[in-house]
């Protein structure tokens, strides 16, 4: 197959992709969709790409990985899109990779963890700041922080949902536990549909672990935070790899129950992370979020989704064309200016320099949105050069505002 379809030099440039606009990750995918819409307005206001207007063709994959290959084939062969990008998360990106590789397409995925680690496809690029070793980098900060505490904790329990998204973070957690000298004394996997986590927490408590590492999704994150808070057992640190507490709806639902939890983030409104353009973008996003029915703050997915399109835009403008091979070659060599700061890609298309945060929820007194605006309610506690406050240790000391 040719690297790029033969397209006319006039008319709109069409960019095709899938998003899970329904299903368990719809909240994050729809946040990305709004960010993409804002970029589309911005780029067309500037005159489009190569002097042509831009259109987005987005298909809902309904969080069904099995449906993704056919949707991308339709985008390429029937909709005749000029460019394709990856959807949100591993579940939408990984199934598209065989076709993308067969057609030799330039492909930027959004928040997929380790998608290209085994494939090694040269024209894949990851819009996620986990760097060349994504599995370990996602949670390195949690274990690094724990190793600095006095007296030093010694043991860890690994708790994860029985789902595809959890496999890579757990691999990384085992690596980090070994690297920082923590003994894994308990490991459990629970069904994603679990509602009562009391027996799960009873087993964790029986292990006597110092650290509780959790890899959870959205609804199970809410149930787990409530279960940890209600249980008599108090780990010294808890959190690390929960998908959920980044979402505004989860934050406001849990409120003070989040105090003390430590968890990963990709961006936070702290002084060291106020990159050029990010405040203007978020002002536009937050002004439209309520009407769009998406995450009201948009800190987790939206900046990365906008940056995804900035990389595509800058690659097209730099190469003055739509040739996939030339776009890929440029992306491997360039540094891109984005609302997520400077982005340079390294091995496997991952960020050459990782920038994953660990934040701790602190001082939350209620459930109102104001508890979390402007960076309130949480402190960036790792890495040290981006920290906005100290870790409160142990977990029990941070539970009350």
């Amino acid at each position: 197959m040719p690297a790029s379809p033969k397209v006319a030099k006039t008319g709109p440039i069409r960019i095709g992709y899938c998003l899970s606009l329904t299903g368990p990750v719809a909240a994050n995918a729809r946040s990305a969709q709004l960010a993409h819409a804002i970029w589309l307005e911005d780029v067309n206001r500037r005159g489009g790409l190569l002097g042509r207007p831009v259109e987005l063709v987005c298909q809902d994959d309904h969080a069904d990985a099995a449906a993704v290959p056919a949707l991308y084939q339709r985008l390429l062969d029937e909709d005749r899109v000029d460019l394709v990008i990856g959807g949100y998360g591993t579940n939408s990106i990984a199934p598209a990779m065989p076709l993308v590789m067969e057609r030799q397409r330039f492909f930027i995925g959004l928040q997929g963890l380790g998608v290209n680690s085994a494939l090694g496809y040269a024209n894949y690029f990851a819009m996620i700041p986990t760097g060349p070793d994504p599995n370990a980098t996602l949670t390195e900060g949690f274990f690094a922080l724990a190793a600095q505490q006095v007296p030093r904790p010694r043991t860890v329990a690994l708790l994860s949902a029985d789902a595809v998204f959890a496999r890579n973070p757990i691999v990384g957690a085992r690596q980090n536990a070994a690297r920082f000298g923590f003994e894994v004394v308990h490991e459990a996997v629970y069904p994603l549909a679990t509602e009562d986590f009391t027996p799960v927490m009873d087993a964790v408590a029986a292990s006597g672990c110092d650290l509780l590492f959790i890899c959870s999704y959205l609804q199970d994150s809410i149930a787990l935070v409530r279960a940890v808070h209600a249980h008599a057992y108090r780990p010294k640190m808890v959190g690390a790899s929960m998908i959920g507490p980044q979402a505004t709806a989860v934050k406001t639902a849990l409120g003070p129950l989040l105090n003390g939890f430590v968890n990963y983030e990709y961006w936070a409104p702290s002084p060291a992370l106020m990159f050029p353009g990010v405040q203007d973008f978020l002002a536009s996003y937050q002004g439209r979020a309520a009407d769009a029915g998406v995450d009201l703050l948009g800190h987790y997915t939206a900046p990365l989704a906008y940056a995804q399109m900035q990389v595509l835009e800058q690659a097209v403008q730099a190469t003055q064309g739509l040739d996939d091979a030339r776009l890929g070659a440029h992306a491997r060599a360039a540094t891109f200016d984005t609302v997520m700061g400077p982005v340079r890609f390294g091995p496997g298309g991952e960020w050459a320099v990782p920038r994953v945060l660990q934040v701790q929820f602190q001082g939350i007194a209620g459930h109102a949105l104001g508890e979390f605006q402007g960076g309130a309610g949480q402190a960036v506690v790792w890495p040290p050069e981006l920290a906005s406050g100290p870790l409160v240790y142990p977990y029990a000391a941070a539970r009350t505002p």
Side-chain angles (χ1 to χ4, degrees), residues 14 22 37 40 53 72 85 105-106 133 138 194 216 308 362:
R14 308 180 79 214
T22 51
L40 183 68
Y72 272 93
I85 60 172
R105 304 309 299 251
F106 177 64
D133 188 5
L138 184 71
T194 300
S216 56
Q308 176 189 28
Q362 301 173 353

Side-chain angles (χ1 to χ4, degrees), residues 327-363:
L327 292 169
H330 176 78
R332 288 191 291 274
T335 298
F336 297 90
D337 295 320
T338 78
V339 295
M340 286 292 294
V343 173
R344 181 168 56 88
F345 297 104
E350 302 289 349
W351 287 24
V353 179
R355 199 187 302 142
V356 178
L357 315 173
Q358 288 283 323
V359 303
Q360 185 181 42
F361 293 99
Q362 301 173 353

Side-chain angles (χ1 to χ4, degrees), residues 100-120:
V100 167
M101 294 168 67
E102 176 189 324
R103 305 289 182 94
Q104 301 174 40
R105 304 309 299 251
F106 177 64
F107 201 57
I108 310 168
L110 176 63
Q111 287 181 280
L113 189 66
V115 169
N116 201 33
S117 296
L119 298 172

